[in-house]
Amino acid sequence: MSEQKRKIHPHKFTLWVAIGSILMMFAGLTSAYIVKRSQASWLMIEIPVMFWYSTATILASSVTVQLALKALKKREMINYKRLLVVTAVLGVLFIVLQVAGFRQFAAQDIRLVGAGSNASYSFLLAISGLHGIHVLGGVVALAVIAIRALNSSTRSYSSVPLEIAATYWHFVDALWIYLFIFFTWMK
Amino acid sequence: MSSETISHGHAAEASVHSHDSHEAHGHDHHHEESFLTKYIFSTDHKMIGKQFLITGIIWAIIGGLFSVLFRLQLGYPDASFPILEDLFGKWAAGGRISNEFYYALVTMHGTILVFFVLTAGLSGTFANILIPLQIGARDMASGFMNMLSYWFFFLASVVMFASLFIQTGPASGGWTIYPPLSALGQASEGSKLGMDFWLISMALFIVSSLLGGLNYISTILNLRTKGMSMTRMPLTMWAIFFTAVLGVLSFPVLLSGAVLLLFDRNLGTSFYLSEIVVKGEILPNEGGSAILFQHLFWFLGHPEVYIILLPAMGMVSEILSVNSRKPIFGYLAMVGSLFAICILAFLVWAHHMFVTGLNPFLGAFFVLLTLLIAVPSAIKVFNWLTTLWKGNIRFTPGMLFSIGFVSLFISGGLTGIFLGNSTLDIHLHDTYFVVAHFHIVMGVASFFGMFAGVYHWFPKMYGRYLNNTMAYIHFWVTLVGSYLIFWPMHYSGLAGMPRRYTDWSNWQSFNQFQDMNRFISTVAMVVFAVQILFVFNFFYSIFKGRQVKSENPWGANTLEWTTPINPGHGNWPSDIPEVHRWAYDYGKDGREFIPQTEPIGADESKH
Amino acid sequence: MSGYFIFIILVLAFVLIFQISKASEYVSVLKGEEKSFKQSNRINAFMFILFMVLGLFGAWWCNELLYDRTLLAQPAASDHGEKIDFMLWLTIIVTGVVFLMTQILLFWFAFKYQHSEKRTVYFFPHNNKLELLWTVVPAIFLTILVGFGLFYWFKITGDAPKDAQIVEITGKQFNWMMRYPGKDNVLGRKNYRLTDASNGNALGVDWEDGASHDDIEASEMHLVVGKPVQLVINAQDVIHDVGLVHFRLKMDAVPGIPTTLWFTPKYTTAQMKEITGNKEFVYEISCDQMCGSGHYSMRGVIVVETQEEYDAWMASKKPQYVTVQEAAAPAAPKADSTAAVATATMSKPLAQLK
């Protein structure tokens, strides 16, 4: 069994390939954004303040998921469950803050979609929206793990599921940081 | 990545254990499987492969039938077929195919064959069936994801099939769905609800092929049996590996393009739309770029061509070698050329866009890279030829189709040299020359690869043979028919005849090919009938075919032929065999073949 | 009725083939697998040679039948077209040689090395020299083709000569509209929001731009032989493509993104009638990009003529601005039939004018 230890778990490997795949999607979108930016009728977008809060939230959630993993490995089950739930809640909070951010646009009378909308803002919505869906996927994964953990009948100490979920969680976090810097930078 | 995936992947779990520890427990295939878990929600890679194959066959019949219908229009533009009105109602009023119907047929023919048949049906089938069997694994890395992959494909199929019955018809803007045509319901009937169905179906399809592709990659990289180093893998595995890499990296980009198109269609955004007056209506959209979509589309679209072609190349390499009783010539060059094609596939997409007003300097760059692909392609062709040279060839049906593949790949590949050169593309772009080119090289050739694979691995799939006589008829009629259909099309292309025209009779420049079109249509119908013969042979032989008596009917070296004739879930009843050599020791030291499982002999010659 | 008849025949043929196939399988089992394998192997090997011979003959015959109907049989009608034709022939020759060589080898090998008990195969897994050979040789030929190709590509896509005549062509579902810049050789500004076909402004020209006042609109394109022309290509609704087969050129028409294309016509329409021996000959503009249900009917006509003929045609045309003005003035006589103008509703563009 020692040989297996050295090898990366196939599911983890699969996740890394999936991350590459998701990255391609966002690379496609951001390069489309860059191409469009060089064209006429492009508006400089103002990142709403709310996005700073959401960024902080998702960063914090990355820390908590890592702590949860640590707790699991130390068999601190109560702590582990608590941190898991906190992470999922932070994920949901992130989405809420993102939505709030987009509502700020509406307050400024900037149209994201529909007649009179500008592609620069539509891009922001489309790209962050797709990212949000990926965060939601992560929340679902964490929720499933959390439910399993809270349900005492299936007691499992395997850290692999959480390790995979945590890697994914860090990935969506990093992806958002990239997008956030991208949007701010591209001004 | 849900934890669901992990907890359900028992099969993979088991395979990791047994292959690493080489314990004798094998797999628990003793427990009874219900009909539902065995045939429907199966996690066995072989069953999933068969599901892909049979779904693909059904789609191929539908897609092929569509081509027969629009060939009727092209071959007999003045005739009327009352039966069509009985079948299709308003779409064929008066027994004549309406323009909307024609364009819907063409679009669906392309979509179905490119994605549902030659992507899912071809690489979905053979990646699933062959990967664990040829690398020596009990199953895929995640059987559950694999099952999901099929069911997403099934859902995509259902949505696409449903779109055929929409009041305003399915998508009809060509399989490339260029906006603004595909974005504006006002511009075309097919761009109404049918287009949304198309996009939703494609999104599901993309999810399916991503789930599949992720699995193929991680299985090939992680679950190879002991001794199966990457350079000992059969070429089928290399080809499928590169195919999966291409798919995993290019499909997401199409998804992003499709999402933006959905936004434009339903939320009034202006990603692709700008300054449009359609049927007198002035649209508010400004600042979009229709060309942007083409970049996103072809960034997938071109690798897609190789997603279709590479598995066929891999299978043909394997089958040519097995039936020439001779090693594949230049194994490493074959792998290298697959790799080169895989890399270049990502760098040539804009050669579909030479006449969109592309920057000429950018165009020059893409010409160079495009024609560079001819080099690895040439290496492959000459290596295949050398594999046949001084061999001892058995013309099994799989071998016939493999030789046919090489012939078609040469014919279609050479016309690619015309189209990849931007200067000539100005003249030949979107003419019948293009139609002839890609049908031969990626359509028919890939089909030949697929047929070769089906004939060759049918004994492994069902423990029976396909009927040889029907196979010979199938091969010869299809080969001759394909050339008869597509060879003359080059000439109409050289006359500048544009594609996607329902009728040329009003044109001074293009109306001189009526007799040729009638001939092509007739041949197309004959070829289609012969494909039906194949389908019949296929289903008949599953139940009534001649039974396979030996584990290794073709005398092949690869691992799948060391499994029982009808392998169970887990493939090998006892230990997974260990691999000691590459897959192509045919005719070495006077021995006809030396299986991969045989240790290197003390006095064996080196090569 | 005949449809059903054909259907029945087809089904019968199917059953027949199926029965024969099944029977032959039984026969092969009786004869012994080995013997029937040898027999079918010989037949298939022979078929490959037969296919090759008949195929080559068929290719020649196909060429006999169809060559004269292609553009290969007539000279290119533009200077760029001549370059493209040269490239085409060069590529045909290079690929033709490779085609013949590889296909003949393929089928010859298949025949020659068909299974025989006596043969022992030659174990030949790789040979670096050979592999290098067929990496380098194709690369050299491709370099030549790329070299020529790019040389011409830059010529064709390069800037149009300064004295080039400018013609604007706009595609919409499903016809082409032309606009000439008039005496000032400047096309008037456009704004798609002003498009109003029923009031004589199908192209969305901004009449406030003085340069537009002498612009002439037409449904046919007239060009002067031997004089370079630059097409400014637009689309109103979806992507179209200006396909000029006789000039061997094409360029997409993209809404919102104008494209250009230039060339010099070499023969007048009348000359082409003689060259092709076709009295009905016309230069046609085809739409080469799928644009909707009427895609196949989106035909335009180009008349290439001498300078005198062209001047005479031009003189017969009235600037669109003038037509619109006349139609708008209530006292003015009805506008000539070339502009489909509804006089009653002319007030709107005029309001925009003021």
Side-chain angles (χ1 to χ4, degrees), chain B residues 224-229 232 578-581:
Chain B
R224 298 189 310 279
T225 183
K226 197 170 178 195
M228 180 65 88
S229 60
R232 280 181 183 165
E578 191 179 333
V579 166
H580 299 277
R581 59 178 75 235

Side-chain angles (χ1 to χ4, degrees), chain B residues 483 487, chain C residues 48-62 99 107:
Chain B
Y483 272 113
W487 188 270
Chain C
F48 271 120
I49 277 296
L50 189 70
F51 175 74
M52 182 186 83
V53 173
L54 289 181
L56 291 176
F57 173 75
W60 169 80
W61 194 40
C62 177
F99 175 83
F107 294 120

Side-chain angles (χ1 to χ4, degrees), chain B residues 175-450:
Chain B
W175 77 280
T176 53
I177 57 153
Y178 283 178
L181 181 62
S182 62
L184 304 173
Q186 304 95 310
S188 157
E189 285 289 285
S191 301
K192 292 186 171 135
L193 192 58
M195 197 62 227
D196 284 320
F197 271 57
W198 193 98
L199 287 167
I200 292 165
S201 170
M202 279 319 292
L204 292 167
F205 183 86
I206 290 168
V207 172
S208 153
S209 62
L210 290 179
L211 287 171
L214 295 176
N215 234 330
Y216 308 153
I217 293 172
S218 71
T219 309
I220 290 178
L221 289 181
N222 291 302
L223 298 185
R224 298 189 310 279
T225 183
K226 197 170 178 195
M228 180 65 88
S229 60
M230 289 297 274
T231 48
R232 280 181 183 165
M233 289 200 307
L235 285 169
T236 31
M237 289 299 100
W238 275 108
I240 285 169
F241 174 69
F242 286 126
T243 306
V245 171
L246 280 172
V248 162
L249 296 182
S250 64
F251 268 116
V253 180
L254 176 67
L255 186 60
S256 58
V259 167
L260 298 186
L261 184 54
L262 272 173
F263 266 71
D264 271 5
R265 288 179 53 75
N266 299 312
L267 297 175
T269 53
S270 313
F271 293 116
Y272 305 132
L273 306 177
S274 185
E275 304 181 24
I276 288 169
V277 183
V278 57
K279 301 238 158 73
E281 182 189 344
I282 296 167
L283 301 185
N285 309 69
E286 275 184 82
S289 160
I291 301 299
L292 177 64
F293 177 84
Q294 298 186 17
H295 281 291
L296 292 173
F297 181 87
W298 286 113
F299 190 85
L300 158 90
H302 198 76
E304 172 64 26
V305 172
Y306 294 101
I307 290 172
I308 288 172
L309 200 53
L310 288 188
M313 284 178 168
M315 290 192 290
V316 163
S317 306
E318 171 74 17
I319 296 167
L320 279 179
S321 170
V322 172
N323 291 299
S324 303
R325 314 309 288 150
K326 207 172 154 270
I328 189 79
F329 181 77
Y331 174 83
L332 282 179
M334 290 305 244
V335 175
S337 56
L338 283 175
F339 178 67
I341 290 174
C342 176
I343 297 292
L344 287 171
F346 283 112
L347 304 173
V348 298
W349 77 90
H351 71 215
H352 297 269
M353 301 163 59
F354 284 141
V355 298
T356 55
L358 189 72
N359 180 325
F361 285 97
L362 211 57
F365 173 74
F366 282 105
V367 171
L368 197 65
L369 289 168
T370 302
L371 292 200
L372 216 52
I373 291 194
V375 175
S377 308
I379 294 174
K380 296 199 88 72
V381 167
F382 286 114
N383 283 2
W384 285 324
L385 289 177
T386 316
T387 304
L388 292 179
W389 179 65
K390 291 197 176 182
N392 203 6
I393 302 170
R394 300 179 313 204
F395 294 108
T396 62
M399 184 63 171
L400 293 177
F401 275 101
S402 299
I403 293 173
F405 171 90
V406 177
S407 171
L408 289 160
F409 180 69
I410 295 169
S411 305
L414 287 173
T415 49
I417 292 174
F418 291 68
L419 296 167
N421 215 334
S422 52
T423 306
L424 286 180
D425 187 62
I426 300 175
H427 177 32
L428 297 172
H429 188 86
D430 268 349
T431 63
Y432 263 77
F433 197 87
V434 178
V435 177
H437 161 70
F438 74 75
H439 272 97
I440 290 182
V441 79
M442 96 175 193
V444 187
S446 301
F447 256 106
F448 270 52
M450 189 168 170

Side-chain angles (χ1 to χ4, degrees), chain B residues 68-69 71-88 92-97 525, chain C residues 2-3 6:
Chain B
V68 168
L69 287 174
R71 274 314 318 181
L72 269 183
Q73 161 65 24
L74 296 178
Y76 306 89
D78 306 322
S80 104
F81 305 91
I83 187 167
L84 292 180
E85 189 171 10
D86 300 342
L87 289 171
F88 302 107
R96 304 172 64 133
I97 289 171
M525 280 177 244
Chain C
S2 66
I6 292 171

Side-chain angles (χ1 to χ4, degrees), chain B residues 524-558:
Chain B
M525 280 177 244
V526 174
V527 171
F528 179 72
V530 169
Q531 307 315 307
I532 299 295
L533 183 72
F534 163 75
V535 173
F536 191 78
N537 189 6
F538 181 87
F539 286 107
Y540 176 82
S541 302
I542 289 178
F543 303 104
K544 294 282 173 90
R546 189 159 51 97
Q547 272 183 322
V548 177
K549 297 275 165 43
S550 100
E551 280 182 5
N552 191 355
W554 309 124
N557 289 341
T558 40

Side-chain angles (χ1 to χ4, degrees), chain A residues 15 21-22 41 46 57 63 74 88-89 91-92 100 111 123 131 138 149 155 163 168 172 178 183:
Chain A
L15 177 71
S21 182
I22 297 168
S41 80
E46 276 306 319
T57 312
V63 175
K74 284 196 205 145
V89 169
V92 174
R111 281 165 193 265
F123 258 117
H131 174 262
R155 185 165 294 273
E163 276 172 38
Y168 178 74
V172 288
Y178 158 70
F183 284 126

Side-chain angles (χ1 to χ4, degrees), chain A residues 18-155:
Chain A
I19 286 175
S21 182
I22 297 168
L23 272 179
M24 281 306 288
M25 181 162 98
F26 284 93
L29 286 166
T30 45
S31 28
Y33 185 88
I34 293 170
V35 171
K36 291 287 317 219
R37 201 173 63 98
S38 60
Q39 287 173 356
S41 80
W42 183 257
L43 292 178
M44 295 303 156
I45 52 174
E46 276 306 319
I47 300 289
V49 190
M50 210 55 95
F51 279 18
W52 288 93
Y53 300 139
S54 63
T55 308
T57 312
I58 200 164
L59 273 175
S61 73
S62 250
V63 175
T64 54
V65 81
Q66 200 57 32
L67 289 175
L69 191 59
K70 221 175 198 174
L72 175 65
K73 282 187 175 156
K74 284 196 205 145
R75 296 282 185 274
E76 299 168 1
M77 297 316 278
I78 296 171
N79 224 348
Y80 155 66
K81 286 171 197 168
R82 207 172 280 155
L83 283 163
L84 211 52
V85 174
V86 170
T87 310
V89 169
L90 283 175
V92 174
L93 183 63
F94 170 78
I95 308 270
V96 171
L97 288 172
Q98 293 284 85
V99 173
F102 281 107
R103 293 189 81 103
Q104 281 188 346
F105 281 128
Q108 294 167 30
D109 210 24
I110 294 169
R111 281 165 193 265
L112 300 164
V113 296
S117 65
N118 186 285
S120 29
Y121 284 100
S122 308
F123 258 117
L124 188 65
L125 177 68
I127 297 176
S128 330
L130 278 172
H131 174 262
I133 291 172
H134 284 85
V135 174
L136 270 182
V139 170
V140 170
L142 285 177
V144 170
I145 296 175
I147 290 165
R148 286 240 176 92
L150 295 171
N151 183 355
S152 53
S153 67
T154 53
R155 185 165 294 273

